[in-house]
Amino acid sequence: MVYIEEAHLNDIGTVFRITVYDTDSTGTASILDISAATTIQIIFRKSDGNLLTKTATFTTDGSDGQMQYTTVDGDLNVGGTWNIQSKIVSGDGTWKTDVGSFKVYENL
């Protein structure tokens, strides 16, 4: 997963970009082609415990394993440490990535 360097309370236009990897039984990770996905989402767990699920878009065509979401007004409305995870649905099944974390910083 790729994390933003910094997000602030009530930021609008912050891009969250996630690269999805597939790990085989030997522990080798490779980028997963998600172009056939019918649903791609980014799930945020706010620092207050509430979930925010957003529909993501492919950064290109999905063959690079990348999806992204750009924040709008009201998304980053709680400061503190947040968690982030992506969800991919295709005809073959439904998967979620590892959970990452980032901080939403307070403003003056």
Side-chain angles (χ1 to χ4, degrees):
M1 299 179 92
V2 175
Y3 307 103
I4 58 165
E5 290 185 24
E6 202 167 293
H8 290 88
L9 194 60
N10 298 316
D11 278 356
I12 298 170
T14 300
V15 177
F16 289 87
R17 184 172 296 134
I18 295 174
T19 302
V20 180
Y21 292 89
D22 185 26
T23 304
D24 66 19
S25 61
T26 67
T28 302
S30 59
I31 291 174
L32 181 64
D33 180 348
I34 58 172
S35 61
T38 56
T39 302
I40 54 172
Q41 296 175 321
I42 297 179
I43 304 163
F44 299 91
R45 181 179 303 276
K46 299 179 181 188
S47 59
D48 64 6
N50 289 314
L51 292 179
L52 178 67
T53 301
K54 294 295 188 170
T55 299
T57 58
F58 293 126
T59 304
T60 57
D61 63 359
S63 64
D64 58 0
Q66 290 192 356
M67 66 173 75
Q68 66 184 28
Y69 172 72
T70 304
T71 61
V72 297
D73 188 29
D75 285 345
L76 300 175
N77 60 353
V78 179
T81 301
W82 290 40
N83 296 113
I84 186 171
Q85 182 178 45
S86 62
K87 178 180 178 181
I88 301 101
V89 178
S90 74
D92 295 329
T94 301
W95 301 273
K96 291 184 178 179
T97 62
D98 290 340
V99 176
S101 63
F102 64 95
K103 186 169 180 178
V104 175
Y105 293 91
E106 301 282 339
N107 295 311
L108 295 178

mmCIF file of all heavy atoms in Angstrom, residues 33-59:
data_model
loop_
_atom_site.group_PDB
_atom_site.id
_atom_site.type_symbol
_atom_site.label_atom_id
_atom_site.label_comp_id
_atom_site.label_asym_id
_atom_site.label_seq_id
_atom_site.Cartn_x
_atom_site.Cartn_y
_atom_site.Cartn_z
ATOM 1 N N ASP A 33 -3.205 -7.544 -10.969
ATOM 2 C CA ASP A 33 -4.010 -6.899 -12.005
ATOM 3 C C ASP A 33 -5.458 -6.899 -11.521
ATOM 4 O O ASP A 33 -6.073 -7.949 -11.372
ATOM 5 C CB ASP A 33 -3.883 -7.666 -13.317
ATOM 6 C CG ASP A 33 -4.687 -7.063 -14.456
ATOM 7 O OD1 ASP A 33 -5.531 -6.170 -14.202
ATOM 8 O OD2 ASP A 33 -4.487 -7.490 -15.606
ATOM 9 N N ILE A 34 -6.008 -5.723 -11.236
ATOM 10 C CA ILE A 34 -7.378 -5.606 -10.731
ATOM 11 C C ILE A 34 -8.326 -5.043 -11.791
ATOM 12 O O ILE A 34 -9.448 -4.636 -11.481
ATOM 13 C CB ILE A 34 -7.430 -4.763 -9.443
ATOM 14 C CG1 ILE A 34 -6.864 -3.357 -9.670
ATOM 15 C CG2 ILE A 34 -6.697 -5.466 -8.303
ATOM 16 C CD1 ILE A 34 -7.053 -2.412 -8.489
ATOM 17 N N SER A 35 -7.892 -5.066 -13.049
ATOM 18 C CA SER A 35 -8.682 -4.452 -14.128
ATOM 19 C C SER A 35 -10.040 -5.114 -14.330
ATOM 20 O O SER A 35 -10.963 -4.483 -14.838
ATOM 21 C CB SER A 35 -7.891 -4.442 -15.433
ATOM 22 O OG SER A 35 -7.575 -5.765 -15.842
ATOM 23 N N ALA A 36 -10.204 -6.378 -13.933
ATOM 24 C CA ALA A 36 -11.479 -7.079 -14.107
ATOM 25 C C ALA A 36 -12.419 -6.882 -12.916
ATOM 26 O O ALA A 36 -13.528 -7.422 -12.907
ATOM 27 C CB ALA A 36 -11.230 -8.568 -14.320
ATOM 28 N N ALA A 37 -12.001 -6.104 -11.940
ATOM 29 C CA ALA A 37 -12.833 -5.889 -10.753
ATOM 30 C C ALA A 37 -14.124 -5.166 -11.125
ATOM 31 O O ALA A 37 -14.125 -4.248 -11.953
ATOM 32 C CB ALA A 37 -12.069 -5.088 -9.709
ATOM 33 N N THR A 38 -15.216 -5.601 -10.525
ATOM 34 C CA THR A 38 -16.501 -4.938 -10.732
ATOM 35 C C THR A 38 -16.753 -3.867 -9.683
ATOM 36 O O THR A 38 -17.545 -2.954 -9.896
ATOM 37 C CB THR A 38 -17.648 -5.968 -10.709
ATOM 38 O OG1 THR A 38 -17.594 -6.690 -9.474
ATOM 39 C CG2 THR A 38 -17.521 -6.939 -11.884
ATOM 40 N N THR A 39 -16.085 -3.998 -8.541
ATOM 41 C CA THR A 39 -16.186 -3.017 -7.461
ATOM 42 C C THR A 39 -14.806 -2.827 -6.852
ATOM 43 O O THR A 39 -14.123 -3.805 -6.564
ATOM 44 C CB THR A 39 -17.149 -3.502 -6.356
ATOM 45 O OG1 THR A 39 -18.428 -3.737 -6.924
ATOM 46 C CG2 THR A 39 -17.259 -2.480 -5.239
ATOM 47 N N ILE A 40 -14.402 -1.575 -6.694
ATOM 48 C CA ILE A 40 -13.177 -1.266 -5.945
ATOM 49 C C ILE A 40 -13.535 -0.169 -4.946
ATOM 50 O O ILE A 40 -14.141 0.836 -5.303
ATOM 51 C CB ILE A 40 -11.994 -0.868 -6.849
ATOM 52 C CG1 ILE A 40 -12.349 0.281 -7.792
ATOM 53 C CG2 ILE A 40 -11.484 -2.056 -7.640
ATOM 54 C CD1 ILE A 40 -11.167 0.836 -8.571
ATOM 55 N N GLN A 41 -13.193 -0.422 -3.704
ATOM 56 C CA GLN A 41 -13.523 0.517 -2.642
ATOM 57 C C GLN A 41 -12.318 0.735 -1.741
ATOM 58 O O GLN A 41 -11.462 -0.136 -1.620
ATOM 59 C CB GLN A 41 -14.665 -0.025 -1.767
ATOM 60 C CG GLN A 41 -15.966 -0.198 -2.498
ATOM 61 C CD GLN A 41 -17.016 -0.846 -1.613
ATOM 62 O OE1 GLN A 41 -16.722 -1.738 -0.848
ATOM 63 N NE2 GLN A 41 -18.251 -0.369 -1.743
ATOM 64 N N ILE A 42 -12.312 1.896 -1.101
ATOM 65 C CA ILE A 42 -11.349 2.169 -0.049
ATOM 66 C C ILE A 42 -12.151 2.404 1.221
ATOM 67 O O ILE A 42 -13.085 3.216 1.242
ATOM 68 C CB ILE A 42 -10.434 3.357 -0.392
ATOM 69 C CG1 ILE A 42 -9.600 3.025 -1.633
ATOM 70 C CG2 ILE A 42 -9.529 3.684 0.800
ATOM 71 C CD1 ILE A 42 -8.671 4.128 -2.089
ATOM 72 N N ILE A 43 -11.801 1.641 2.252
ATOM 73 C CA ILE A 43 -12.505 1.705 3.530
ATOM 74 C C ILE A 43 -11.598 2.407 4.535
ATOM 75 O O ILE A 43 -10.438 2.022 4.709
ATOM 76 C CB ILE A 43 -12.861 0.292 4.026
ATOM 77 C CG1 ILE A 43 -13.672 -0.455 2.960
ATOM 78 C CG2 ILE A 43 -13.621 0.363 5.348
ATOM 79 C CD1 ILE A 43 -13.718 -1.950 3.174
ATOM 80 N N PHE A 44 -12.136 3.423 5.160
ATOM 81 C CA PHE A 44 -11.413 4.174 6.179
ATOM 82 C C PHE A 44 -12.064 3.897 7.533
ATOM 83 O O PHE A 44 -13.290 3.917 7.647
ATOM 84 C CB PHE A 44 -11.506 5.679 5.915
ATOM 85 C CG PHE A 44 -10.914 6.126 4.608
ATOM 86 C CD1 PHE A 44 -11.686 6.196 3.456
ATOM 87 C CD2 PHE A 44 -9.582 6.503 4.533
ATOM 88 C CE1 PHE A 44 -11.149 6.633 2.258
ATOM 89 C CE2 PHE A 44 -9.033 6.944 3.349
ATOM 90 C CZ PHE A 44 -9.821 7.002 2.201
ATOM 91 N N ARG A 45 -11.245 3.643 8.561
ATOM 92 C CA ARG A 45 -11.755 3.626 9.937
ATOM 93 C C ARG A 45 -11.198 4.873 10.597
ATOM 94 O O ARG A 45 -9.985 5.023 10.788
ATOM 95 C CB ARG A 45 -11.322 2.394 10.717
ATOM 96 C CG ARG A 45 -11.904 2.398 12.147
ATOM 97 C CD ARG A 45 -11.539 1.196 12.985
ATOM 98 N NE ARG A 45 -11.930 -0.051 12.372
ATOM 99 C CZ ARG A 45 -13.142 -0.612 12.449
ATOM 100 N NH1 ARG A 45 -14.100 0.014 13.094
ATOM 101 N NH2 ARG A 45 -13.377 -1.775 11.886
ATOM 102 N N LYS A 46 -12.113 5.774 10.916
ATOM 103 C CA LYS A 46 -11.722 7.031 11.525
ATOM 104 C C LYS A 46 -11.197 6.794 12.945
ATOM 105 O O LYS A 46 -11.445 5.746 13.540
ATOM 106 C CB LYS A 46 -12.921 7.985 11.572
ATOM 107 C CG LYS A 46 -13.481 8.330 10.212
ATOM 108 C CD LYS A 46 -14.673 9.252 10.354
ATOM 109 C CE LYS A 46 -15.263 9.596 9.014
ATOM 110 N NZ LYS A 46 -16.308 10.645 9.134
ATOM 111 N N SER A 47 -10.533 7.779 13.476
ATOM 112 C CA SER A 47 -9.979 7.655 14.827
ATOM 113 C C SER A 47 -11.071 7.499 15.882
ATOM 114 O O SER A 47 -10.803 7.000 16.969
ATOM 115 C CB SER A 47 -9.095 8.856 15.153
ATOM 116 O OG SER A 47 -9.855 10.059 15.068
ATOM 117 N N ASP A 48 -12.312 7.867 15.557
ATOM 118 C CA ASP A 48 -13.417 7.691 16.503
ATOM 119 C C ASP A 48 -14.102 6.334 16.336
ATOM 120 O O ASP A 48 -15.097 6.047 17.002
ATOM 121 C CB ASP A 48 -14.433 8.826 16.377
ATOM 122 C CG ASP A 48 -15.142 8.877 15.027
ATOM 123 O OD1 ASP A 48 -14.950 7.965 14.179
ATOM 124 O OD2 ASP A 48 -15.912 9.847 14.802
ATOM 125 N N GLY A 49 -13.577 5.486 15.423
ATOM 126 C CA GLY A 49 -14.110 4.145 15.222
ATOM 127 C C GLY A 49 -15.129 4.015 14.111
ATOM 128 O O GLY A 49 -15.453 2.904 13.694
ATOM 129 N N ASN A 50 -15.658 5.116 13.623
ATOM 130 C CA ASN A 50 -16.641 5.067 12.534
ATOM 131 C C ASN A 50 -15.983 4.702 11.219
ATOM 132 O O ASN A 50 -14.835 5.087 10.956
ATOM 133 C CB ASN A 50 -17.365 6.406 12.399
ATOM 134 C CG ASN A 50 -18.317 6.658 13.542
ATOM 135 O OD1 ASN A 50 -19.079 5.779 13.922
ATOM 136 N ND2 ASN A 50 -18.259 7.859 14.107
ATOM 137 N N LEU A 51 -16.715 3.952 10.381
ATOM 138 C CA LEU A 51 -16.215 3.569 9.057
ATOM 139 C C LEU A 51 -16.713 4.528 7.997
ATOM 140 O O LEU A 51 -17.845 5.034 8.061
ATOM 141 C CB LEU A 51 -16.678 2.156 8.704
ATOM 142 C CG LEU A 51 -16.094 1.013 9.516
ATOM 143 C CD1 LEU A 51 -16.684 -0.315 9.046
ATOM 144 C CD2 LEU A 51 -14.588 0.987 9.420
ATOM 145 N N LEU A 52 -15.864 4.764 7.006
ATOM 146 C CA LEU A 52 -16.187 5.570 5.835
ATOM 147 C C LEU A 52 -15.770 4.749 4.622
ATOM 148 O O LEU A 52 -14.585 4.480 4.442
ATOM 149 C CB LEU A 52 -15.412 6.897 5.884
ATOM 150 C CG LEU A 52 -15.571 7.853 4.719
ATOM 151 C CD1 LEU A 52 -16.992 8.402 4.668
ATOM 152 C CD2 LEU A 52 -14.570 9.003 4.845
ATOM 153 N N THR A 53 -16.727 4.297 3.823
ATOM 154 C CA THR A 53 -16.434 3.484 2.647
ATOM 155 C C THR A 53 -16.664 4.322 1.406
ATOM 156 O O THR A 53 -17.747 4.889 1.215
ATOM 157 C CB THR A 53 -17.326 2.221 2.611
ATOM 158 O OG1 THR A 53 -17.090 1.471 3.802
ATOM 159 C CG2 THR A 53 -17.004 1.366 1.402
ATOM 160 N N LYS A 54 -15.643 4.400 0.551
ATOM 161 C CA LYS A 54 -15.710 5.224 -0.650
ATOM 162 C C LYS A 54 -15.422 4.388 -1.892
ATOM 163 O O LYS A 54 -14.552 3.505 -1.873
ATOM 164 C CB LYS A 54 -14.680 6.370 -0.573
ATOM 165 C CG LYS A 54 -14.977 7.362 0.528
ATOM 166 C CD LYS A 54 -16.276 8.093 0.240
ATOM 167 C CE LYS A 54 -16.541 9.226 1.185
ATOM 168 N NZ LYS A 54 -17.664 10.060 0.757
ATOM 169 N N THR A 55 -16.128 4.662 -2.958
ATOM 170 C CA THR A 55 -15.860 4.019 -4.234
ATOM 171 C C THR A 55 -14.574 4.598 -4.796
ATOM 172 O O THR A 55 -14.423 5.819 -4.877
ATOM 173 C CB THR A 55 -17.024 4.249 -5.216
ATOM 174 O OG1 THR A 55 -18.201 3.668 -4.662
ATOM 175 C CG2 THR A 55 -16.732 3.632 -6.565
ATOM 176 N N ALA A 56 -13.655 3.724 -5.159
ATOM 177 C CA ALA A 56 -12.367 4.146 -5.723
ATOM 178 C C ALA A 56 -12.453 4.116 -7.241
ATOM 179 O O ALA A 56 -13.400 3.579 -7.821
ATOM 180 C CB ALA A 56 -11.259 3.227 -5.228
ATOM 181 N N THR A 57 -11.442 4.695 -7.869
ATOM 182 C CA THR A 57 -11.289 4.616 -9.321
ATOM 183 C C THR A 57 -9.908 4.042 -9.612
ATOM 184 O O THR A 57 -9.005 4.115 -8.782
ATOM 185 C CB THR A 57 -11.417 6.006 -9.984
ATOM 186 O OG1 THR A 57 -10.425 6.879 -9.423
ATOM 187 C CG2 THR A 57 -12.797 6.594 -9.761
ATOM 188 N N PHE A 58 -9.756 3.469 -10.801
ATOM 189 C CA PHE A 58 -8.443 3.007 -11.222
ATOM 190 C C PHE A 58 -7.568 4.226 -11.474
ATOM 191 O O PHE A 58 -8.025 5.236 -12.003
ATOM 192 C CB PHE A 58 -8.528 2.183 -12.502
ATOM 193 C CG PHE A 58 -9.241 0.867 -12.338
ATOM 194 C CD1 PHE A 58 -10.303 0.539 -13.166
ATOM 195 C CD2 PHE A 58 -8.856 -0.046 -11.377
ATOM 196 C CE1 PHE A 58 -10.960 -0.669 -13.039
ATOM 197 C CE2 PHE A 58 -9.508 -1.254 -11.226
ATOM 198 C CZ PHE A 58 -10.566 -1.564 -12.059
ATOM 199 N N THR A 59 -6.300 4.125 -11.110
ATOM 200 C CA THR A 59 -5.351 5.197 -11.401
ATOM 201 C C THR A 59 -5.087 5.241 -12.905
ATOM 202 O O THR A 59 -4.988 6.311 -13.492
ATOM 203 C CB THR A 59 -4.039 4.980 -10.624
ATOM 204 O OG1 THR A 59 -4.366 4.882 -9.241
ATOM 205 C CG2 THR A 59 -3.069 6.113 -10.837
#
